[in-house]
Amino acid sequence: MAEHIGIVGAGYVGLTSAACFARLGHRVTCVDADESKVDQLRRGEVAIAEPGLPELVAQGRSDGTLTFTDAQAELYGTDLVFLCLPTPPDRDGAPDLGVLEQVVPQLGRLLRPGSVVVTKSTVPVGTAARLPGLLRRDDLPVVSNPEFLREGHAVDDFLHPDRVVVGTDPPNSAAAQRVARLYEPTGAPVVATDSASAELAKYASNAFLAVKLSYVNVLAELCERFGADVREVARTMGMDARIGPEFLAPGPGWGGSCLPKDTSALLHAAESAGVEFGILRDAVRVNARQRARVVRAVRQAVTGSAAGSLAGTRIGLLGLAFKAGTGDLRDSPALAVAAELARAGAELTAHDPAVGTVPGLDAVQVVDDPYLVAKDAAALVVLTEWPEFRDLDWARLAASAAQAVVVDTRNLLDPDTLAGAGFTHIGVGTHPRRQS
């Protein structure tokens, strides 16, 4: 049965949810306080770089199933309202619920009896239990329905999820079943649980991925010391069904809008509860040291010494976003490495297929032609795993570079191809491959 769904917040999660619910056959009203953003969306302009999202927004607008507004009053009459609001970390690492705490009382004065209020934002454990008090209503059921969207794959993740988590107190209430029915066309299994478990499951999932990534980065360091190849070690590990191959690729560290924020929030929650979460704290420490490891590798590649000076040295950077498939610079390890190189005195030129400018980091000159990053460069550094970097004319890049060296922090490139083009290839947790 088609429902009238309200979405509060037209950010990454909110806009994806709105467009996908419309695609699933529901009528969606998406509200955002930013009038300029709403005007853009009404014109069909989608500022978020997410495959398939502009097309879904256009389809929903054309079908009349998706509308955008800055007026919360238009949520009156909706059957369910999803809260897709920012919950950034405060100074202590705890999620800042200021926006949510401002919006929810307004909804309490607006919604008709029986409307279901759904938290899709990543929120601390206990938030769903607090919402009735913030709403000041006992006739508005509250449901926790955390999102598990990967940037660059958000539309596919929404329409083909691994699982749908629905939390209410008590579990599997009528309101929970109503939310679960929205996802029936996806065919995904539904986890009907209590609100606290649903809220914690989101943090637990992202924190586990962070631990796994930090683990493989330490493993890469170990491989370098022992002369092993982390790619072969990780491939062997990934064949074990208990481990799996995902998130076993080393790199310059994990980042983005979720993992840093969610690990910080879970550590804060554990500390507040008197639980020592040492394994997660260590994973965060390991991640923080990855940028220094990359800079040491660049120093070694350029000067022959891990402590050599980079002052006045031209370095070309391939990739700025925190991962391929998105232009998101939030907590990007690529930017963290760039900042460290800039502090070391390097002159930086960078290219990223989805990034045109780098606010707050004037030391990086961003160019729209990847071949310009090699001009007179003492080294090229691959920081984001964009697949198109594999297809560059590496012989042409070698001809432009002052020194044909690539520090490949993502193990993205084929060492044989690079060697054939005249480059020395230095990966992570691998043996350096010298130019032929």
Side-chain angles (χ1 to χ4, degrees):
M1 181 180 72
E3 301 269 24
H4 184 188
I5 297 173
I7 302 288
V8 183
Y12 184 83
V13 173
L15 185 57
T16 301
S17 299
C20 288
F21 274 135
R23 174 67 178 83
L24 293 176
H26 303 286
R27 183 160 63 96
V28 181
T29 300
C30 185
V31 179
D32 196 284
D34 187 335
E35 294 182 16
S36 62
K37 181 187 292 185
V38 170
D39 287 341
Q40 282 184 320
L41 291 169
R42 283 172 170 168
R43 295 193 299 268
E45 300 172 8
V46 177
I48 299 171
E50 186 61 43
L53 186 56
E55 292 79 5
L56 281 188
V57 170
Q59 180 182 338
R61 290 176 61 249
S62 175
D63 295 343
T65 56
L66 177 58
T67 58
F68 299 97
T69 180
D70 59 2
Q72 270 197 17
E74 294 191 29
L75 292 175
Y76 180 79
T78 52
D79 302 308
L80 306 97
V81 175
F82 284 76
L83 303 177
C84 303
L85 299 166
T87 56
D90 63 18
R91 291 183 178 179
D92 296 328
D96 183 348
L97 299 184
V99 175
L100 183 142
E101 290 169 346
Q102 178 183 0
V103 168
V104 170
Q106 297 171 3
L107 293 176
R109 294 189 291 270
L110 174 68
L111 299 179
R112 66 182 183 183
S115 294
V116 180
V117 178
V118 187
T119 56
K120 188 162 277 293
S121 307
T122 303
V123 293
V125 178
T127 300
R130 288 184 56 208
L131 286 193
L134 291 173
L135 290 163
R136 297 182 180 178
R137 298 270 296 273
D138 58 8
D139 59 349
L140 299 175
V142 174
V143 177
S144 176
N145 176 223
E147 55 85 15
F148 297 91
L149 305 180
R150 298 169 298 162
E151 291 194 46
H153 303 271
V155 169
D156 188 63
D157 286 346
F158 193 103
L159 297 177
H160 306 94
D162 294 325
R163 75 289 202 197
V164 173
V165 179
V166 182
T168 56
D169 303 306
N172 204 29
S173 65
Q177 294 174 29
R178 195 169 170 187
V179 171
R181 279 196 295 271
L182 300 177
Y183 297 94
E184 282 184 352
T186 71
V190 174
V191 179
T193 185
D194 59 276
S195 297
S197 296
E199 290 164 338
L200 186 56
K202 172 58 188 289
Y203 286 115
S205 296
N206 277 352
F208 182 80
L209 296 178
V211 170
K212 196 173 181 182
L213 287 169
S214 285
Y215 178 89
V216 78
N217 274 331
V218 175
L219 193 62
E221 190 173 0
L222 197 62
C223 285
E224 291 170 6
R225 300 291 178 89
F226 288 157
D229 190 326
V230 72
R231 295 169 298 185
E232 295 303 307
V233 174
R235 182 165 69 95
T236 303
M237 292 171 59
M239 295 173 74
D240 188 326
R242 298 169 300 174
I243 298 173
E246 300 296 329
F247 285 80
L248 283 179
W254 38 266
S257 63
C258 292
L259 296 194
K261 174 176 70 72
D262 292 352
T263 52
S264 176
L266 189 55
L267 282 171
H268 183 273
E271 183 177 345
S272 300
V275 175
E276 173 55 37
F277 211 149
I279 189 171
L280 183 56
R281 197 173 301 279
D282 287 342
V284 173
R285 291 195 188 103
V286 166
N287 194 58
R289 79 177 192 225
Q290 293 311 304
R291 65 195 67 177
R293 270 186 29 87
V294 173
V295 172
R296 286 197 300 272
V298 174
R299 290 181 188 273
Q300 182 73 45
V302 172
T303 71
S305 168
S309 174
L310 295 176
T313 302
R314 287 184 59 84
I315 304 291
L317 308 179
L318 289 170
L320 293 168
F322 87 94
K323 71 172 187 176
T326 177
D328 198 342
L329 297 175
R330 288 176 289 180
D331 277 302
S332 170
L335 282 193
V337 169
E340 291 287 339
L341 291 171
R343 279 191 285 271
E347 298 176 3
L348 305 174
T349 304
H351 170 76
D352 188 292
V355 177
T357 59
V358 183
L361 193 56
D362 296 335
V364 179
Q365 179 187 6
V366 182
V367 296
D368 58 7
D369 183 348
Y371 293 98
L372 293 178
V373 301
K375 183 175 174 56
D376 300 326
L380 301 182
V381 186
V382 178
L383 293 170
T384 310
E385 70 281 19
W386 287 100
E388 44 263 64
F389 291 159
R390 295 192 187 101
D391 299 326
L392 293 174
D393 184 340
W394 285 94
R396 178 180 169 187
L397 288 166
S400 297
Q403 186 173 246
V405 175
V406 173
V407 178
D408 184 359
T409 72
R410 300 284 188 167
N411 290 340
L412 174 74
L413 308 174
D414 177 45
D416 292 334
T417 299
L418 271 289
F423 271 99
T424 294
H425 177 268
I426 301 169
V428 176
T430 66
H431 313 297
R433 178 66 185 272
R434 306 296 176 185
Q435 62 190 50
S436 57

